[in-house]
Amino acid sequence: MGKIFISYRREEDEFYAHTLYRELLETFDKEDVFMDVDNIPIGHDFVKVLNDALAQSDIMLVVIGRRWLKTKRGGKRRINDPEDFVRMEIEAALQRNIHVIPVIQREGTLPAPEDLPESLKPLARRQAAIVSPANSSEDIVVLVEAVKSLL
C-alpha cells in the first residue's frame, strides 16, 4: 500500500487535520499516514523528516480552510514566502508528481491560480474533496475511499 502525507496550517486547520488523520488510521497502517505532530520524533531535524516523508509519499492531502490563503507572517501572506512549510511541502509534492488532493473544509475554497505563487498554480487545477461541517463524517468516508482507490 502507498503512503499518505497530510499538509495543513496549524493556526487554523489542526483540528480538521487530526480528525482526518484519525479517520485514515481506521483504514491505513500508522506507518502509511504521515502527519508532522505524530510522526516527527523529539530532537530530530523536522525539515529532514518532512522531506523524507514526502519522498516516500504517493498522495498528499492539503487541508484548506477559510484562512489558508490569508494567513500572514510579518504582514505578508505566508503562502508567498518561499520558506513557508506548507508552500515547500506542496511544491515538493508537485515536483515529484505525487498525487495532490486539496481537502476543502469549513468555509474554505480552492484558491484561484492568480492567488497562488507560480510554483503552486497547478494546485488550483486539482479536483478537491469537500468536507462540510454538516456532512463531515460521510465526506471523510468518501475521501478515504477515494484515497484507497488511488493507492
Side-chain angles (χ1 to χ4, degrees), residues 23-114:
E23 288 294 326
L24 288 165
L25 291 180
E26 295 292 321
T27 303
F28 302 99
D29 293 334
K30 186 171 180 150
E31 60 271 4
D32 293 332
V33 184
F34 181 88
M35 186 169 163
D36 62 351
V37 230
D38 287 349
N39 295 100
I40 299 179
I42 292 174
H44 283 71
D45 179 338
F46 62 88
V47 173
K48 180 181 179 344
V49 174
L50 288 172
N51 285 328
D52 290 348
L54 265 170
Q56 298 172 25
S57 295
D58 300 296
I59 292 178
M60 173 185 273
L61 301 176
V62 181
V63 179
I64 300 174
R66 61 183 166 81
R67 296 202 31 80
W68 184 86
L69 199 56
K70 298 173 187 171
T71 302
K72 293 183 178 184
R73 178 179 288 149
K76 296 181 181 177
R77 288 188 331 156
R78 288 181 65 185
I79 202 71
N80 290 337
D81 178 1
E83 300 298 314
D84 175 45
F85 284 109
V86 168
R87 176 179 173 165
M88 291 189 306
E89 291 167 357
I90 298 167
E91 284 173 338
L94 292 169
Q95 289 168 358
R96 294 177 178 154
N97 291 318
I98 294 170
H99 199 99
V100 177
I101 302 171
V103 179
I104 310 299
Q105 53 92 10
R106 285 195 286 191
E107 297 90 34
T109 58
L110 188 63
E114 60 269 14

Coordinates of all heavy atoms in Angstrom, one line a residue, residues 23-114:
E23 N -9.2 9.3 11.1 CA -10.1 8.5 10.2 C -9.2 7.7 9.3 O -9.6 6.5 9.0 CB -11.0 9.5 9.4 CG -12.1 10.1 10.2 CD -13.1 9.1 10.7 OE1 -13.4 8.1 10.0 OE2 -13.6 9.3 11.8
L24 N -8.1 8.2 8.8 CA -7.3 7.5 7.9 C -6.7 6.3 8.6 O -6.5 5.2 8.0 CB -6.2 8.4 7.3 CG -6.6 9.4 6.3 CD1 -5.6 10.4 6.0 CD2 -7.0 8.7 5.0
L25 N -6.4 6.4 9.9 CA -5.8 5.3 10.7 C -6.8 4.2 10.9 O -6.4 3.1 11.3 CB -5.2 5.8 12.0 CG -4.0 6.7 11.9 CD1 -3.5 7.1 13.3 CD2 -2.9 6.0 11.1
E26 N -8.0 4.4 10.7 CA -9.0 3.4 10.7 C -8.9 2.4 9.5 O -9.3 1.3 9.6 CB -10.5 3.9 10.8 CG -10.8 4.8 12.0 CD -10.8 3.9 13.2 OE1 -11.4 2.8 13.2 OE2 -10.4 4.4 14.3
T27 N -8.3 2.9 8.5 CA -8.2 2.1 7.2 C -6.7 1.8 6.9 O -6.5 0.7 6.4 CB -8.8 2.9 6.0 OG1 -10.1 3.2 6.4 CG2 -8.7 2.1 4.7
F28 N -5.8 2.7 7.2 CA -4.4 2.5 6.8 C -3.6 2.3 8.1 O -3.9 2.7 9.1 CB -3.9 3.7 6.0 CG -4.7 4.0 4.8 CD1 -5.7 5.0 4.8 CD2 -4.5 3.3 3.6 CE1 -6.4 5.2 3.7 CE2 -5.2 3.6 2.5 CZ -6.2 4.5 2.5
D29 N -2.4 1.7 7.9 CA -1.5 1.5 9.0 C -0.8 2.8 9.3 O -0.6 3.7 8.5 CB -0.3 0.5 8.6 CG -0.9 -0.9 8.3 OD1 -1.9 -1.3 9.0 OD2 -0.2 -1.6 7.6
K30 N -0.4 3.0 10.6 CA 0.1 4.2 11.1 C 1.4 4.6 10.3 O 1.6 5.8 10.0 CB 0.5 4.1 12.6 CG 0.9 5.4 13.2 CD 1.1 5.3 14.7 CE 1.5 6.7 15.1 NZ 1.1 7.0 16.4
E31 N 2.2 3.6 9.9 CA 3.4 4.0 9.1 C 3.1 4.4 7.7 O 4.0 4.9 7.0 CB 4.4 2.8 9.2 CG 3.9 1.6 8.5 CD 3.2 0.6 9.6 OE1 3.1 1.0 10.7 OE2 2.9 -0.5 9.1
D32 N 1.9 4.3 7.3 CA 1.5 4.7 5.9 C 0.8 6.1 5.9 O 0.5 6.6 4.8 CB 0.5 3.7 5.3 CG 1.3 2.4 5.0 OD1 2.5 2.4 4.8 OD2 0.6 1.3 5.1
V33 N 0.6 6.7 7.0 CA 0.0 8.0 7.1 C 0.9 9.0 7.9 O 1.2 8.7 9.1 CB -1.4 8.0 7.8 CG1 -2.1 9.3 7.8 CG2 -2.3 6.9 7.1
F34 N 1.4 10.0 7.2 CA 2.3 11.0 7.9 C 1.6 12.3 8.2 O 1.0 12.9 7.4 CB 3.5 11.3 7.0 CG 4.4 12.2 7.6 CD1 5.5 11.7 8.4 CD2 4.3 13.6 7.4 CE1 6.4 12.6 9.0 CE2 5.2 14.5 8.1 CZ 6.2 14.0 8.8
M35 N 1.7 12.6 9.5 CA 1.2 14.0 10.0 C 2.3 14.4 10.9 O 2.7 13.7 11.8 CB -0.1 13.9 10.7 CG -0.6 15.2 11.0 SD -2.3 15.1 11.5 CE -2.5 16.7 12.3
D36 N 2.8 15.6 10.7 CA 4.0 16.1 11.4 C 4.0 16.0 12.9 O 5.0 15.5 13.5 CB 4.3 17.6 11.0 CG 3.2 18.5 11.4 OD1 2.1 18.1 11.8 OD2 3.5 19.8 11.3
V37 N 2.9 16.3 13.6 CA 2.9 16.2 15.0 C 3.1 14.8 15.6 O 3.7 14.6 16.6 CB 1.7 16.9 15.7 CG1 2.0 17.9 16.7 CG2 0.8 17.5 14.7
D38 N 2.5 13.9 14.9 CA 2.6 12.5 15.4 C 3.8 11.7 14.8 O 4.1 10.6 15.4 CB 1.3 11.8 15.1 CG 0.1 12.2 15.9 OD1 0.4 12.9 16.9 OD2 -1.0 11.9 15.6
N39 N 4.4 12.2 13.8 CA 5.4 11.4 13.2 C 6.8 11.9 13.2 O 7.7 11.3 12.6 CB 5.0 11.1 11.7 CG 3.8 10.3 11.6 OD1 2.7 10.9 11.3 ND2 3.9 9.0 11.7
I40 N 7.0 13.1 13.9 CA 8.4 13.6 14.0 C 8.9 13.4 15.4 O 8.4 14.0 16.4 CB 8.5 15.1 13.6 CG1 8.0 15.3 12.2 CG2 9.9 15.6 13.8 CD1 8.0 16.7 11.7
P41 N 9.9 12.5 15.6 CA 10.4 12.2 16.9 C 11.1 13.5 17.5 O 11.7 14.3 16.8 CB 11.4 11.1 16.7 CG 11.1 10.6 15.3 CD 10.5 11.7 14.6
I42 N 11.0 13.6 18.8 CA 11.6 14.7 19.5 C 13.1 14.7 19.3 O 13.7 13.7 19.3 CB 11.3 14.6 21.0 CG1 9.8 14.8 21.3 CG2 12.1 15.6 21.8 CD1 9.4 14.6 22.7
G43 N 13.7 15.9 19.0 CA 15.1 16.0 18.8 C 15.6 15.8 17.3 O 16.7 16.0 17.0
H44 N 14.6 15.4 16.5 CA 15.0 15.2 15.1 C 14.9 16.4 14.3 O 14.1 17.3 14.6 CB 14.1 14.1 14.5 CG 14.5 12.7 14.9 ND1 14.3 12.2 16.1 CD2 15.2 11.7 14.2 CE1 14.8 11.0 16.2 NE2 15.3 10.6 15.0
D45 N 15.6 16.5 13.2 CA 15.5 17.7 12.3 C 14.2 17.5 11.5 O 14.1 16.7 10.6 CB 16.7 17.6 11.3 CG 16.7 18.7 10.3 OD1 15.7 19.3 10.0 OD2 17.8 19.0 9.7
F46 N 13.3 18.4 11.8 CA 11.9 18.2 11.2 C 11.9 18.5 9.7 O 11.1 17.9 9.0 CB 10.9 19.1 12.0 CG 11.1 20.6 11.9 CD1 10.6 21.3 10.9 CD2 11.8 21.2 13.0 CE1 10.8 22.7 10.9 CE2 11.9 22.6 13.0 CZ 11.5 23.3 11.9
V47 N 12.8 19.3 9.2 CA 12.8 19.6 7.8 C 13.3 18.3 7.1 O 12.7 17.9 6.1 CB 13.8 20.7 7.4 CG1 13.9 20.9 5.9 CG2 13.2 22.0 8.0
K48 N 14.3 17.6 7.6 CA 14.7 16.3 7.0 C 13.6 15.3 7.1 O 13.4 14.6 6.1 CB 16.0 15.8 7.7 CG 16.5 14.5 7.1 CD 17.7 14.0 7.9 CE 18.3 12.7 7.4 NZ 17.5 11.9 6.5
V49 N 13.0 15.2 8.3 CA 11.9 14.2 8.4 C 10.7 14.5 7.4 O 10.2 13.6 6.8 CB 11.4 14.2 9.9 CG1 10.1 13.3 10.0 CG2 12.4 13.7 10.8
L50 N 10.4 15.8 7.3 CA 9.3 16.2 6.3 C 9.7 15.8 4.9 O 9.0 15.2 4.1 CB 9.1 17.7 6.4 CG 8.3 18.2 7.6 CD1 8.3 19.7 7.6 CD2 6.9 17.6 7.6
N51 N 11.0 16.1 4.5 CA 11.5 15.8 3.2 C 11.5 14.3 2.9 O 11.1 13.8 1.9 CB 12.8 16.4 2.9 CG 12.7 17.9 2.6 OD1 11.8 18.4 2.1 ND2 13.8 18.6 3.1
D52 N 11.9 13.5 3.9 CA 12.0 12.0 3.8 C 10.6 11.5 3.7 O 10.3 10.6 2.8 CB 12.7 11.4 5.0 CG 14.2 11.7 5.0 OD1 14.7 12.2 4.0 OD2 14.8 11.4 6.1
A53 N 9.7 12.0 4.4 CA 8.3 11.5 4.4 C 7.7 11.8 3.0 O 7.0 11.0 2.4 CB 7.4 12.1 5.5
L54 N 7.9 13.0 2.5 CA 7.4 13.4 1.2 C 8.0 12.5 0.1 O 7.3 12.1 -0.8 CB 7.7 14.9 0.9 CG 6.7 15.9 1.2 CD1 7.2 17.3 1.1 CD2 5.4 15.7 0.4
A55 N 9.3 12.2 0.2 CA 9.9 11.4 -0.8 C 9.3 10.0 -0.9 O 9.4 9.3 -1.9 CB 11.4 11.3 -0.5
Q56 N 8.7 9.5 0.2 CA 8.1 8.2 0.3 C 6.6 8.2 0.0 O 6.0 7.2 0.0 CB 8.4 7.6 1.6 CG 9.8 7.4 2.0 CD 10.0 6.9 3.4 OE1 9.1 6.4 4.0 NE2 11.2 7.2 4.0
S57 N 6.0 9.4 -0.1 CA 4.6 9.5 -0.3 C 4.1 9.3 -1.7 O 4.8 9.7 -2.6 CB 4.1 10.9 0.3 OG 4.4 11.0 1.7
D58 N 2.9 8.8 -1.8 CA 2.2 8.6 -3.0 C 1.1 9.6 -3.2 O 0.7 10.0 -4.3 CB 1.6 7.2 -3.2 CG 2.7 6.2 -3.1 OD1 3.6 6.2 -4.0 OD2 2.7 5.4 -2.1
I59 N 0.5 10.1 -2.0 CA -0.6 11.0 -2.0 C -0.4 12.1 -1.0 O 0.1 11.8 0.1 CB -1.9 10.3 -1.7 CG1 -2.3 9.3 -2.8 CG2 -3.1 11.3 -1.4 CD1 -3.6 8.5 -2.6
M60 N -0.7 13.3 -1.3 CA -0.7 14.4 -0.4 C -2.1 15.0 -0.2 O -2.7 15.3 -1.2 CB 0.3 15.6 -0.8 CG 0.2 16.8 0.2 SD 1.1 18.2 -0.4 CE 2.7 17.8 0.4
L61 N -2.5 15.1 1.0 CA -3.8 15.7 1.3 C -3.5 17.1 1.8 O -2.8 17.2 2.8 CB -4.6 14.9 2.3 CG -4.9 13.4 1.9 CD1 -5.6 12.7 3.0 CD2 -5.8 13.4 0.6
V62 N -4.0 18.1 1.1 CA -3.7 19.5 1.5 C -5.0 20.0 2.1 O -6.0 20.3 1.4 CB -3.3 20.4 0.3 CG1 -3.0 21.8 0.8 CG2 -2.1 19.8 -0.4
V63 N -5.0 20.2 3.5 CA -6.2 20.7 4.2 C -6.3 22.2 4.0 O -5.3 22.9 4.4 CB -6.2 20.2 5.7 CG1 -7.4 20.8 6.4 CG2 -6.1 18.7 5.8
I64 N -7.4 22.7 3.4 CA -7.5 24.1 3.2 C -8.8 24.6 3.8 O -9.9 24.2 3.5 CB -7.6 24.3 1.6 CG1 -6.3 23.8 0.9 CG2 -7.9 25.8 1.3 CD1 -6.4 23.9 -0.6
G65 N -8.6 25.5 4.8 CA -9.7 26.2 5.5 C -9.9 27.6 4.9 O -9.2 28.0 4.0
R66 N -10.8 28.3 5.6 CA -11.1 29.6 5.1 C -10.0 30.6 5.1 O -9.9 31.6 4.4 CB -12.4 30.2 5.8 CG -12.2 30.3 7.3 CD -13.5 30.8 7.9 NE -13.4 30.6 9.4 CZ -12.8 31.5 10.2 NH1 -12.3 32.5 9.7 NH2 -12.8 31.2 11.5
R67 N -9.0 30.4 6.0 CA -7.9 31.4 6.2 C -6.6 30.8 5.6 O -5.5 31.5 5.7 CB -7.7 31.8 7.6 CG -8.9 32.5 8.2 CD -8.7 33.4 9.4 NE -7.4 34.0 9.5 CZ -6.9 35.1 8.9 NH1 -7.7 35.7 8.0 NH2 -5.7 35.6 9.1
W68 N -6.6 29.7 5.0 CA -5.4 29.0 4.5 C -4.6 30.0 3.6 O -3.4 30.0 3.7 CB -5.8 27.8 3.7 CG -4.7 26.9 3.2 CD1 -4.0 26.0 3.9 CD2 -4.1 27.0 1.9 NE1 -3.1 25.4 3.1 CE2 -3.1 26.0 1.9 CE3 -4.3 27.8 0.8 CZ2 -2.3 25.8 0.8 CZ3 -3.5 27.5 -0.4 CH2 -2.5 26.6 -0.3
L69 N -5.2 30.7 2.7 CA -4.5 31.6 1.8 C -4.2 32.9 2.4 O -3.2 33.6 2.0 CB -5.4 31.8 0.6 CG -4.8 32.3 -0.7 CD1 -3.6 31.4 -1.2 CD2 -5.8 32.4 -1.8
K70 N -4.9 33.3 3.4 CA -4.8 34.6 4.0 C -3.9 34.7 5.2 O -3.5 35.8 5.7 CB -6.2 35.1 4.5 CG -7.1 35.3 3.4 CD -8.5 35.6 3.9 CE -9.5 35.6 2.8 NZ -10.9 35.7 3.3
T71 N -3.4 33.5 5.8 CA -2.6 33.5 6.9 C -1.3 34.3 6.7 O -0.7 34.2 5.6 CB -2.2 32.1 7.3 OG1 -3.4 31.4 7.6 CG2 -1.3 32.0 8.5
K72 N -1.0 35.2 7.6 CA 0.2 36.1 7.4 C 1.3 35.9 8.5 O 1.0 35.5 9.6 CB -0.3 37.6 7.4 CG -1.2 37.9 6.3 CD -1.6 39.4 6.3 CE -2.4 39.7 5.1 NZ -2.7 41.1 5.0
R73 N 2.4 36.3 8.1 CA 3.6 36.4 9.0 C 4.3 37.7 8.6 O 4.7 37.8 7.4 CB 4.5 35.2 8.9 CG 5.7 35.4 9.8 CD 6.6 34.2 9.8 NE 6.0 33.1 10.5 CZ 6.2 31.8 10.2 NH1 7.0 31.5 9.2 NH2 5.6 30.9 10.9
G74 N 4.6 38.5 9.5 CA 5.3 39.8 9.2 C 4.5 40.7 8.2 O 5.1 41.4 7.5
G75 N 3.2 40.6 8.2 CA 2.4 41.4 7.4 C 2.2 40.9 5.9 O 1.6 41.5 5.1
K76 N 2.9 39.8 5.6 CA 2.8 39.2 4.3 C 2.2 37.9 4.3 O 2.3 37.1 5.3 CB 4.2 39.1 3.7 CG 4.9 40.4 3.5 CD 6.2 40.2 2.8 CE 6.9 41.5 2.7 NZ 8.3 41.4 2.1
R77 N 1.5 37.5 3.2 CA 0.8 36.2 3.2 C 1.9 35.1 3.2 O 2.9 35.2 2.5 CB 0.1 36.0 1.9 CG -1.2 36.8 1.8 CD -2.1 36.5 0.6 NE -1.3 36.0 -0.6 CZ -1.8 35.3 -1.6 NH1 -3.0 34.9 -1.5 NH2 -1.0 35.0 -2.6
R78 N 1.7 34.1 4.1 CA 2.7 33.1 4.3 C 2.9 32.3 3.0 O 4.0 31.9 2.7 CB 2.3 32.2 5.4 CG 2.5 32.9 6.7 CD 2.2 32.0 7.9 NE 3.1 30.8 8.0 CZ 3.0 29.9 8.8 NH1 2.0 29.8 9.7 NH2 3.8 28.9 8.8
I79 N 1.9 32.1 2.2 CA 2.0 31.3 1.0 C 2.9 31.9 0.0 O 3.5 31.2 -0.9 CB 0.6 31.0 0.4 CG1 0.6 29.8 -0.5 CG2 0.0 32.2 -0.4 CD1 0.7 28.5 0.2
N80 N 3.2 33.2 0.1 CA 4.1 33.9 -0.8 C 5.5 33.8 -0.3 O 6.4 34.2 -1.1 CB 3.7 35.4 -1.0 CG 2.4 35.5 -1.7 OD1 2.0 34.7 -2.5 ND2 1.7 36.6 -1.5
D81 N 5.7 33.3 0.9 CA 7.1 33.2 1.4 C 7.7 31.8 1.0 O 7.1 30.8 1.3 CB 7.0 33.2 3.0 CG 8.3 33.0 3.6 OD1 9.4 32.9 2.9 OD2 8.4 33.0 4.9
P82 N 8.8 31.9 0.2 CA 9.4 30.6 -0.3 C 9.8 29.7 0.9 O 10.0 28.5 0.7 CB 10.6 31.1 -1.0 CG 10.3 32.5 -1.4 CD 9.5 33.0 -0.3
E83 N 9.9 30.2 2.1 CA 10.3 29.4 3.3 C 9.1 28.9 4.1 O 9.3 28.2 5.1 CB 11.2 30.2 4.2 CG 12.5 30.6 3.5 CD 13.4 29.5 3.1 OE1 13.5 28.5 3.9 OE2 13.9 29.5 2.0
D84 N 7.9 29.2 3.6 CA 6.7 28.7 4.3 C 6.6 27.2 4.1 O 6.7 26.6 3.0 CB 5.4 29.3 3.6 CG 4.1 28.8 4.1 OD1 4.0 28.6 5.4 OD2 3.2 28.5 3.3
F85 N 6.5 26.4 5.2 CA 6.5 25.0 5.2 C 5.4 24.4 4.3 O 5.6 23.4 3.6 CB 6.5 24.4 6.6 CG 7.8 24.5 7.2 CD1 8.0 25.4 8.3 CD2 8.9 23.7 6.8 CE1 9.2 25.5 8.9 CE2 10.1 23.9 7.4 CZ 10.3 24.7 8.4
V86 N 4.2 24.9 4.4 CA 3.1 24.4 3.6 C 3.4 24.6 2.1 O 3.2 23.7 1.3 CB 1.7 25.1 4.0 CG1 0.6 24.8 2.9 CG2 1.3 24.7 5.4
R87 N 3.9 25.8 1.8 CA 4.3 26.0 0.4 C 5.4 25.0 -0.1 O 5.3 24.4 -1.2 CB 4.8 27.4 0.2 CG 5.3 27.7 -1.2 CD 5.7 29.1 -1.4 NE 6.4 29.4 -2.7 CZ 6.6 30.5 -3.2 NH1 6.3 31.6 -2.5 NH2 7.2 30.6 -4.4
M88 N 6.4 24.9 0.8 CA 7.5 24.0 0.4 C 7.0 22.5 0.2 O 7.5 21.8 -0.7 CB 8.6 24.0 1.4 CG 9.4 25.4 1.4 SD 10.9 25.5 2.4 CE 10.3 25.0 4.0
E89 N 6.1 22.1 1.1 CA 5.6 20.7 1.0 C 4.8 20.5 -0.3 O 5.1 19.5 -1.0 CB 4.6 20.4 2.2 CG 5.3 20.4 3.5 CD 4.3 20.4 4.7 OE1 3.1 20.5 4.5 OE2 4.8 20.3 5.9
I90 N 4.0 21.5 -0.6 CA 3.2 21.3 -1.8 C 4.1 21.4 -3.1 O 3.9 20.6 -4.0 CB 2.0 22.4 -1.9 CG1 1.1 22.2 -0.7 CG2 1.3 22.3 -3.2 CD1 0.1 23.3 -0.5
E91 N 5.0 22.3 -3.1 CA 5.9 22.4 -4.2 C 6.7 21.1 -4.4 O 6.8 20.6 -5.6 CB 7.0 23.6 -4.0 CG 6.4 24.9 -4.2 CD 7.4 26.0 -3.8 OE1 8.3 25.8 -3.0 OE2 7.2 27.2 -4.2
A92 N 7.2 20.5 -3.3 CA 7.9 19.3 -3.4 C 7.0 18.2 -4.0 O 7.4 17.4 -4.8 CB 8.5 18.9 -2.1
A93 N 5.8 18.1 -3.5 CA 4.8 17.1 -4.0 C 4.5 17.2 -5.4 O 4.5 16.3 -6.2 CB 3.6 17.1 -3.1
L94 N 4.3 18.5 -5.9 CA 4.0 18.7 -7.3 C 5.2 18.4 -8.2 O 5.1 17.8 -9.2 CB 3.6 20.2 -7.5 CG 2.2 20.6 -6.9 CD1 2.0 22.1 -6.9 CD2 1.1 19.8 -7.6
Q95 N 6.4 18.7 -7.7 CA 7.6 18.4 -8.5 C 7.9 16.9 -8.6 O 8.4 16.5 -9.6 CB 8.9 19.1 -7.8 CG 8.8 20.6 -8.0 CD 9.9 21.3 -7.1 OE1 10.6 20.7 -6.4 NE2 10.0 22.6 -7.2
R96 N 7.5 16.2 -7.6 CA 7.7 14.8 -7.5 C 6.6 14.0 -8.1 O 6.6 12.7 -8.1 CB 8.0 14.3 -6.1 CG 9.3 14.8 -5.5 CD 9.4 14.5 -4.1 NE 10.7 15.0 -3.6 CZ 10.9 15.2 -2.3 NH1 10.0 15.0 -1.4 NH2 12.1 15.7 -2.0
N97 N 5.6 14.7 -8.7 CA 4.4 14.0 -9.3 C 3.6 13.2 -8.3 O 3.1 12.1 -8.6 CB 4.8 13.2 -10.5 CG 5.2 14.1 -11.6 OD1 4.6 15.2 -11.9 ND2 6.2 13.8 -12.3
I98 N 3.6 13.6 -7.0 CA 2.8 13.0 -6.0 C 1.4 13.4 -6.3 O 1.1 14.5 -6.6 CB 3.3 13.4 -4.6 CG1 4.7 12.8 -4.3 CG2 2.3 12.9 -3.5 CD1 5.4 13.4 -3.1
H99 N 0.4 12.5 -6.1 CA -1.0 12.8 -6.3 C -1.4 13.8 -5.2 O -1.5 13.4 -4.0 CB -1.8 11.5 -6.2 CG -3.1 11.7 -6.9 ND1 -3.4 11.2 -8.1 CD2 -4.3 12.2 -6.4 CE1 -4.6 11.5 -8.4 NE2 -5.2 12.1 -7.4
V100 N -1.7 15.1 -5.5 CA -2.1 16.1 -4.6 C -3.6 16.3 -4.6 O -4.2 16.6 -5.6 CB -1.4 17.4 -4.9 CG1 -1.8 18.5 -3.9 CG2 0.1 17.2 -4.8
I101 N -4.2 16.1 -3.4 CA -5.7 16.3 -3.3 C -6.0 17.4 -2.3 O -5.7 17.3 -1.1 CB -6.3 15.0 -2.8 CG1 -6.0 13.8 -3.7 CG2 -7.9 15.2 -2.6 CD1 -6.5 12.5 -3.2
P102 N -6.5 18.5 -2.8 CA -7.0 19.6 -1.9 C -8.2 19.1 -1.1 O -9.1 18.5 -1.7 CB -7.4 20.8 -2.8 CG -6.8 20.4 -4.1 CD -6.7 18.9 -4.2
V103 N -8.2 19.3 0.2 CA -9.3 18.9 1.1 C -9.9 20.2 1.7 O -9.3 20.8 2.5 CB -8.8 17.9 2.2 CG1 -10.0 17.6 3.1 CG2 -8.2 16.7 1.6
I104 N -11.0 20.6 1.1 CA -11.6 21.9 1.5 C -12.5 21.6 2.7 O -13.4 20.8 2.6 CB -12.4 22.5 0.3 CG1 -11.6 22.5 -1.0 CG2 -13.0 23.8 0.7 CD1 -10.4 23.3 -0.9
Q105 N -12.3 22.4 3.8 CA -13.1 22.2 5.0 C -13.6 23.6 5.4 O -13.1 24.6 5.0 CB -12.3 21.5 6.1 CG -11.0 22.1 6.4 CD -11.1 23.2 7.5 OE1 -12.1 23.3 8.2 NE2 -10.0 23.9 7.7
R106 N -14.7 23.5 6.2 CA -15.4 24.7 6.7 C -15.8 25.6 5.5 O -16.3 25.1 4.5 CB -14.6 25.4 7.7 CG -14.6 24.7 9.0 CD -14.1 25.6 10.1 NE -12.7 25.9 10.0 CZ -12.0 26.4 10.9 NH1 -12.6 26.9 12.0 NH2 -10.7 26.6 10.8
E107 N -15.5 26.9 5.6 CA -15.8 27.8 4.5 C -14.7 28.0 3.6 O -14.6 29.0 2.8 CB -16.3 29.1 5.1 CG -17.5 29.1 6.0 CD -17.1 28.9 7.4 OE1 -16.1 29.3 7.9 OE2 -17.9 28.2 8.1
G108 N -13.7 27.1 3.5 CA -12.6 27.2 2.7 C -13.0 27.0 1.2 O -14.1 26.5 0.9
T109 N -12.2 27.5 0.3 CA -12.4 27.4 -1.1 C -11.0 27.0 -1.8 O -10.0 27.4 -1.2 CB -12.9 28.7 -1.8 OG1 -12.0 29.7 -1.5 CG2 -14.3 29.0 -1.2
L110 N -11.1 26.4 -2.9 CA -9.9 26.1 -3.6 C -9.3 27.4 -4.2 O -10.1 28.2 -4.8 CB -10.2 25.2 -4.8 CG -9.0 24.6 -5.6 CD1 -8.1 23.8 -4.7 CD2 -9.5 23.8 -6.7
P111 N -8.1 27.7 -3.9 CA -7.5 29.0 -4.4 C -7.6 29.1 -5.9 O -7.4 28.1 -6.6 CB -6.1 29.0 -3.9 CG -6.1 28.0 -2.8 CD -7.1 27.0 -3.1
A112 N -7.8 30.3 -6.4 CA -7.7 30.6 -7.8 C -6.2 30.7 -8.2 O -5.4 31.0 -7.4 CB -8.4 31.9 -8.1
P113 N -5.9 30.3 -9.4 CA -4.5 30.3 -9.9 C -3.8 31.7 -9.6 O -2.7 31.7 -9.2 CB -4.5 30.0 -11.4 CG -5.8 29.3 -11.5 CD -6.8 29.8 -10.5
E114 N -4.5 32.8 -9.9 CA -3.9 34.1 -9.7 C -3.6 34.4 -8.2 O -2.9 35.4 -8.0 CB -4.8 35.2 -10.3 CG -6.2 35.3 -9.8 CD -7.2 34.4 -10.5 OE1 -6.9 33.5 -11.2 OE2 -8.4 34.7 -10.2

